[in-house]
Amino acid sequence: MSLYLSRLTIARTPTTAALRALIDPSPASEDSGFRDPARGRMMDAHHRLLWAVFADSPDRTRDFLWRAEGQGRFYVLSARPPVADGAGLFEPPEIKTFDPDLRPDDRLAFVLRANATRARIDPAAPEKRGRRVDVVMDLLYGLPSGRVSDERRLARDAAADMAGRRWLEDRAGTAGFAVEQLAVTSYTVVPLPRHVGGRRQQPQFGVLDMTGEIRVVDPEVFMARIAEGFGRARAFGCGLMLIRRA
């Protein structure tokens, strides 16, 4: 399967300037805490914006992964190149085929933004399908809630690092690679606008940003998993692992 890695940049035109608050909302300030509604609005807007270059038919389903880099820039991995943007929202895209020549034991640096979850099994009913839970919040379960204290912040940072490492290592064996180094650079709980999915309750999910180094074990399996993406919330900019030679 052919893959394309594209870099898309929002155009600097009077039209996009007038629409900027809608198509590229400002993120929250750095001291907004770990629950970030502004980031949720931004991810939802970007999710809709990228359809401008990938929804080439009314019945098209999402078949691409994307990552926001800030300043109106995005990386997109797709099985087909982006289509012409008739609305002029983007600059001409930079597109290249994505077919790295990987061999076993190659070492790659990576960055990954992921919604990491696991199935929590009810001990009273182990035969039932487990409920999906955020891996960080699952580790934090039982700590006092309410106002964020220094103690809880430290516990949250430690839980994010431990849970993120464990989550990616658990998936590495079936994804054709091994984790050599990993650091969690941020963890945020992102509430989405209430209209998303037509739900009454406000949906939200955790976002882990990870960086590090991996070792390729099975190049074919690894590339298939890169194309599929990691974790959930892929429609909202999670799951795309960017790699380069270490």
Side-chain angles (χ1 to χ4, degrees):
M1 178 180 66
S2 297
L3 291 174
Y4 300 89
L5 184 64
S6 306
R7 185 164 66 179
L8 301 173
T9 305
I10 296 176
R12 295 178 179 270
T13 65
T15 299
T16 57
L19 296 173
R20 197 80 185 200
L22 295 176
I23 62 176
D24 189 27
S26 298
S29 62
E30 292 184 0
D31 60 354
S32 62
F34 82 103
R35 192 173 186 274
D36 193 346
R39 189 177 184 186
R41 292 190 294 272
M42 183 173 65
M43 294 172 92
D44 180 45
H46 291 165
H47 154 73
R48 297 167 184 275
L49 174 66
L50 287 167
W51 274 108
V53 290
F54 282 99
D56 55 353
S57 65
D59 57 349
R60 173 68 74 178
T61 57
R62 183 189 57 77
D63 57 352
F64 59 92
L65 300 167
W66 62 275
R67 174 188 172 94
E69 289 292 292
Q71 305 295 318
R73 293 188 295 268
F74 306 88
Y75 283 106
V76 185
L77 184 67
S78 57
R80 55 196 172 92
V83 298
D85 171 23
L89 298 174
F90 289 101
E91 302 285 355
E94 302 170 56
I95 307 170
K96 64 179 182 180
T97 56
F98 183 71
D99 186 22
D101 181 20
L102 298 179
R103 309 292 174 88
D105 291 327
D106 279 355
R107 293 179 182 272
L108 306 172
F110 78 93
V111 292
L112 173 64
R113 179 169 297 141
N115 169 226
T117 65
R118 73 173 188 86
R120 180 192 287 167
I121 305 298
D122 183 354
E127 74 284 356
K128 291 186 178 180
R129 184 176 180 179
R131 182 170 65 90
R132 303 304 304 186
V133 294
D134 177 86
V135 294
V136 179
M137 296 308 293
D138 196 44
L139 272 185
L140 287 172
Y141 183 76
L143 285 180
S145 58
R147 190 170 182 177
V148 178
S149 63
D150 289 341
E151 181 182 356
R152 184 173 174 82
R153 184 178 293 109
L154 289 172
R156 189 185 69 230
D157 291 346
D161 190 75
M162 181 184 301
R165 182 182 304 275
R166 185 183 300 165
W167 179 82
L168 193 60
E169 287 176 346
D170 285 348
R171 281 145 187 80
T174 57
F177 69 95
V179 178
E180 299 289 310
Q181 301 174 28
L182 185 145
V184 172
T185 56
S186 73
Y187 171 71
T188 312
V189 174
V190 178
L192 291 170
R194 293 184 184 276
H195 64 76
V196 175
R199 302 177 187 176
R200 282 182 156 185
Q201 293 184 336
Q202 185 173 26
Q204 66 178 29
F205 57 90
V207 177
L208 279 167
D209 277 296
M210 295 176 273
T211 185
E213 187 175 305
I214 58 177
R215 176 174 52 83
V216 176
V217 176
D218 186 322
E220 185 176 349
V221 172
F222 177 59
M223 284 299 298
R225 191 56 188 273
I226 286 276
E228 180 185 346
F230 295 85
R232 300 163 77 87
R234 298 173 199 173
F236 295 100
C238 295
L240 173 57
M241 179 185 281
L242 296 177
I243 56 174
R244 61 177 176 80
R245 299 286 177 181

